[in-house]
């Protein structure tokens, strides 16, 4: 049964077709409560703008079968940039976030914004060429960065692991595309990627465990950023260790969650335990392959992370928690540690139906999320109205 929606703007009608809530003019009329003439006129505008297309016939409930409407996901493309501490991935997708081409490369975020973003620009030109596209085809750009961001301006704000990036206007690096550029914290971007193009109406915590630790907060299917855009920065919550040890975090504080259970801490603990490893990735790979010492280190990191997540579960009462990021590729050991602490420390009612899972594709969620952020910005109601007016 379709429930009437308050808006019948062209942008709202497009969103309903894009997300599968309506497949015909008749369903749009039922969903919005608008008149048939109003809906038809706006659908015709969207078809003329190449954003919708007609295709095939639906089932008839009496009378002529309805003509089905389809979103034209090839009406343009977006660039998606997943910027990490030691690597960057750039993809070009269509307007349904289907990856058309992608490439990755090692970087050092500490090199500063100009050389790093110059490399991003080089990779962006490569993926466009691979997909047979031109800069003029790009409708929007989405960028995820590993630090706090003022979302409205796209400028990082005192990011602890991005020296030299404070207040840098990241959108200015994409001027050649002459299109909107959207920038957000990488965990919020990953959270969008986990929700997928179809979206969700659930309350979800998406926890990234990599070099740093962060949390994307999804409320009713939408990213919650807080008053200044810093919601979910759980990596700098203080954690008391059972043995009373003190570890200094990169932010200058002691015993931040990230300093005790992030990728860097995992590598430090592995070396101290005598494992022959040089990178966090090697620790994660050994755990995934069944190395007993590596498994216990990852599980202990999961327990530490779980103590913080248990407090969030009691406070926020989410439907589910999704764990992503490089360390999440260890799989079961990390998940087991997190579940152990969360289910032991959370209130029974909050944890009764709680799902805790590892992302099905942690290596892709950043790029998909960056694409979805760009697509949602480009195709929001106001932007669609402006485009049709032009």
């Amino acid at each position: 049964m379709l429930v009437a929606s308050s808006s019948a703007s062209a942008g709202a009608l497009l969103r309903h077709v894009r997300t599968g809530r309506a497949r015909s003019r008749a369903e749009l009329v039922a969903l919005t409560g608008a008149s048939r003439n109003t809906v038809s006129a706006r659908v015709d505008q969207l078809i003329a703008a190449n954003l919708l297309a007609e295709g095939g016939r639906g089932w008839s409930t009496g009378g002529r079968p309805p003509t089905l409407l389809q979103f034209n996901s090839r009406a343009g493309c977006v660039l998606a940039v997943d910027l990490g501490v030691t690597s960057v991935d750039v993809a070009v997708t269509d307007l349904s976030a289907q990856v058309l081409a992608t490439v990755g490369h090692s970087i050092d975020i500490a090199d500063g914004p100009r050389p790093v973003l110059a490399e991003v620009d080089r990779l962006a030109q490569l993926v466009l060429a691979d997909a047979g596209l031109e800069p003029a085809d790009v409708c929007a750009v989405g960028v995820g960065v590993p630090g706090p961001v003022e979302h409205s301006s796209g400028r990082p704000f005192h990011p602890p692991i991005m020296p030299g990036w404070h207040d840098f206007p990241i959108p200015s690096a994409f001027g050649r595309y002459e299109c909107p550029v959207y920038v957000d914290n990488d965990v919020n971007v990953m959270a969008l990627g986990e929700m997928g193009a179809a979206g969700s109406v659930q309350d979800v915590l998406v926890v990234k465990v990599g070099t740093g630790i962060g949390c994307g907060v999804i409320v009713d299917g939408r990213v919650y950023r807080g008053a200044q855009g810093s919601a979910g920065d759980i990596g700098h919550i203080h954690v008391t260790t059972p043995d009373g040890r003190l570890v200094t975090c990169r932010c200058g504080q002691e015993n931040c969650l990230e300093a005790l259970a992030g990728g860097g801490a995992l590598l430090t603990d592995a070396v101290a335990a005598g494992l022959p490893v040089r990178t966090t990735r090697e620790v994660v790979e050994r755990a995934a392959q069944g190395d007993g010492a590596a498994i216990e280190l990852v599980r202990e990191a999961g327990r530490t992370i779980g103590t913080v997540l248990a407090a969030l579960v009691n406070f926020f009462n989410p439907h589910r928690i999704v764990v992503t990021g490089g360390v999440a590729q260890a799989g079961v050991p990390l998940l087991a540690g997190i579940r152990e602490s969360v289910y032991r420390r959370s209130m029974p009612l909050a944890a009764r139906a709680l799902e805790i899972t590892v992302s099905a594709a942690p290596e892709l969620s950043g790029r998909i999320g960056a694409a979805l952020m760009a697509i949602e910005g480009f195709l929001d109601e106001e932007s669609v109205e402006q485009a049709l007016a032009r």
Side-chain angles (χ1 to χ4, degrees), residues 85-390:
V85 175
T86 60
S87 65
V88 60
D89 291 292
V90 180
V92 58
T93 81
D94 66 12
L95 296 182
S96 63
Q98 292 296 310
V99 175
L100 306 177
T102 186
V103 66
H105 200 269
S106 297
I107 54 133
D108 184 350
I109 201 74
D111 286 342
R114 296 189 189 282
V116 169
L117 291 173
E119 176 65 5
V120 169
D121 185 52
R122 184 185 74 83
L123 296 175
Q125 293 180 64
L126 278 179
V127 294
L128 285 172
D130 286 350
L133 297 166
E134 301 288 338
D137 296 316
V138 178
C139 299
V141 179
V143 185
V145 301
V149 175
E150 185 181 63
H151 185 61
S152 60
S153 67
R155 294 171 182 258
F157 189 82
H158 294 291
I161 58 177
M162 300 173 67
W165 287 75
H166 170 65
D167 207 36
F168 187 85
I170 291 175
S172 67
F174 300 91
R176 73 165 69 233
Y177 301 105
E178 298 182 348
C179 67
V181 180
Y182 304 92
V183 186
D184 204 349
N185 178 278
D186 59 352
V187 187
N188 287 341
V189 169
M190 286 181 169
L192 284 173
E194 291 297 333
M195 294 302 99
S200 168
V201 294
Q202 291 189 328
D203 299 326
V204 184
L205 297 177
V206 177
V207 181
K208 176 199 173 188
V209 187
T211 303
I213 298 175
C215 181
V217 183
I218 302 290
V219 180
D220 288 335
R222 301 178 68 87
V223 172
Y224 175 76
R225 296 186 173 88
Q228 305 300 330
S230 65
D233 196 358
I234 66 170
H236 298 282
I237 291 176
H238 182 270
V239 177
T240 302
T241 59
D243 59 4
R245 68 185 172 121
L246 297 177
V247 179
T248 301
C249 182
R250 285 173 295 189
C251 72
Q253 301 293 330
E254 291 181 335
N255 281 35
C256 293
L257 176 62
E258 180 179 299
L260 294 171
L266 187 61
L267 176 60
T268 298
D269 291 344
V271 171
L275 292 181
V277 293
R278 292 179 297 172
T279 66
T280 304
R281 182 185 294 275
E282 290 176 12
V283 182
V284 169
E285 288 174 350
R286 291 177 77 94
Q289 292 164 6
D291 181 288
I295 286 174
E296 184 51 38
L297 287 170
V298 171
R299 188 189 297 265
E300 184 58 32
R303 292 186 187 108
T304 302
I305 294 165
T307 61
V308 171
L309 294 182
L312 299 184
V313 168
N314 288 336
F315 175 76
F316 182 56
N317 189 201
H319 291 91
R320 57 192 175 107
I321 296 173
V322 181
V323 185
T324 187
V327 178
Q329 294 179 42
V332 172
L334 181 71
L335 194 60
I338 289 173
R339 284 173 170 168
E340 179 184 326
S341 291
V342 169
Y343 291 133
R344 185 176 76 246
R345 294 172 176 269
S346 298
M347 297 299 291
L349 181 59
R352 184 173 65 184
L354 176 67
E355 295 179 35
I356 306 177
T357 60
V358 169
S359 169
E363 72 285 353
L364 262 181
S365 58
R367 276 165 284 175
I368 298 301
L372 288 170
M373 176 172 63
I375 292 164
E376 292 303 318
F378 173 63
L379 294 178
D380 71 6
E381 289 190 39
E382 184 177 345
S383 298
V384 170
E385 295 299 325
Q386 291 173 353
L388 294 179
R390 288 194 296 269

Side-chain angles (χ1 to χ4, degrees), residues 8 13 25 29 32-45:
L13 300 184
R25 288 174 174 82
V29 168
T32 63
S35 71
R36 186 175 298 274
N37 287 343
T38 296
V39 167
S40 289
R42 288 172 184 165
V43 165
D44 289 344
Q45 282 183 297

